[in-house]
Amino acid sequence: EAGVTQFPSHSVIEKGQTVTLRCDPISGHDNLYWYRRVMGKEIKFLLHFVKESKQDESGMPNNRFLAERTGGTYSTLKVQPAELEDSGVYFCASSLGREHSPLHFGNGTRLTVT
Amino acid sequence: SQKIEQNSEALNIQEGKTATLTCNYTNYSPAYLQWYRQDPGRGPVFLLLIRENEKEKRKERLKVTFDTTLKQSLFHITASQPADSATYLCALFSGGYQKVTFGIGTKLQVIP
């Protein structure tokens, strides 16, 4: 089974620019999550999709972040405009969503805002 | 506020010994707890799950304990190998299964 894939693996942008991150979950996984790890801190929850619906977006930092999951398949996370504090590693994970289902993570997108 | 504590300092042990990592939490009533392994440049990989009504869980050389009174989980790797070197994360699930909260992780270095 193909794992969770994320694109790009690295992105360097200037403050004020826009960046879009993409995540392709494991086929058949209705649940998709975005997480972020800022250097020296723990991995923090951003939001959770069930199919195409946002189940929980309580972790989204502010309205510069927009996540979508068209058709309940892949998801995108757009940051517009990017700020210096947005730098970090953005992880996507998917799961079957049954109770106790483990999260399957992608390898992350390392975003650097200069 | 809710808090998960893992020793963020690296743990160095000799090959063949048992490594023990600690996860403490406060202001949580987790339904269950998971442990993940993360290698540099990679995403976390699921290892083990333990439910609140379970005291201990084993998988090959791995063992996890869960003490809801002490609010603590211990993660053991027996007969450790250099290939076990990685960062180990504990994750708590509470209030439904969707939202997961991670600890900062403990970096384990197994010295040959």
Side-chain angles (χ1 to χ4, degrees):
Chain A
E1 132 187 302
V4 176
T5 56
Q6 291 186 245
F7 182 83
S9 56
H10 293 82
S11 180
V12 180
I13 61 172
E14 292 183 354
K15 176 181 171 180
Q17 289 185 322
T18 297
V19 63
T20 300
L21 314 181
R22 173 170 170 144
C23 169
D24 286 79
I26 293 172
S27 177
H29 282 193
D30 287 341
N31 289 264
L32 187 149
Y33 308 80
W34 284 98
Y35 283 83
R36 177 174 72 175
R37 185 164 196 159
V38 172
M39 190 180 296
K41 303 285 187 181
E42 65 273 21
I43 295 173
K44 285 231 166 156
F45 170 84
L46 296 178
L47 90 159
H48 168 217
F49 283 100
V50 177
K51 296 185 180 178
E52 68 275 7
S53 300
K54 290 177 187 172
Q55 182 76 14
D56 181 351
E57 51 183 332
S58 61
M60 294 287 262
N62 50 61
N63 59 10
R64 294 185 295 103
F65 289 74
L66 175 64
E68 294 180 322
R69 191 181 182 194
T70 307
T73 55
Y74 71 92
S75 175
T76 58
L77 180 64
K78 182 193 286 189
V79 184
Q80 178 183 30
E83 297 288 344
L84 297 178
E85 64 264 24
D86 300 333
S87 296
V89 181
Y90 289 77
F91 289 104
C92 173
S94 70
S95 78
L96 285 169
R98 295 176 199 146
E99 195 179 5
H100 308 154
S101 292
L103 300 179
H104 298 262
F105 281 85
N107 287 330
T109 294
R110 180 174 293 278
L111 175 64
T112 303
V113 183
T114 62
Chain B
S1 62
Q2 295 178 324
K3 201 172 177 182
I4 301 172
E5 289 182 346
Q6 290 187 261
N7 189 349
S8 58
E9 293 181 16
L11 175 65
N12 297 321
I13 64 164
Q14 207 69 37
E15 181 177 5
K17 301 291 187 184
T18 296
T20 299
L21 286 66
T22 304
C23 175
N24 294 301
Y25 59 92
T26 54
N27 296 323
Y28 270 109
S29 295
Y32 56 102
L33 182 150
Q34 294 183 349
W35 283 87
Y36 288 77
R37 168 185 172 140
Q38 187 173 20
D39 291 283
R42 309 295 291 253
V45 175
F46 169 75
L47 295 174
L48 275 173
L49 173 151
I50 187 164
R51 296 175 178 79
E52 60 180 336
N53 60 352
E54 296 176 320
K55 296 293 185 187
E56 182 179 297
K57 202 74 163 293
R58 291 175 185 262
K59 179 183 176 183
E60 298 172 354
R61 295 185 295 110
L62 309 180
K63 184 179 86 171
V64 172
T65 63
F66 194 10
D67 189 325
T68 55
T69 302
L70 291 178
K71 296 187 182 296
Q72 181 182 78
S73 175
L74 298 179
F75 177 80
H76 307 270
I77 306 176
T78 58
S80 59
Q81 304 166 0
D84 295 326
S85 299
T87 296
Y88 292 86
L89 308 166
C90 77
L92 296 186
F93 293 65
S94 60
Y97 54 83
Q98 289 91 344
K99 192 168 180 178
V100 179
T101 304
F102 284 86
I104 196 167
T106 298
K107 186 174 181 180
L108 173 68
Q109 187 77 31
V110 181
I111 303 163

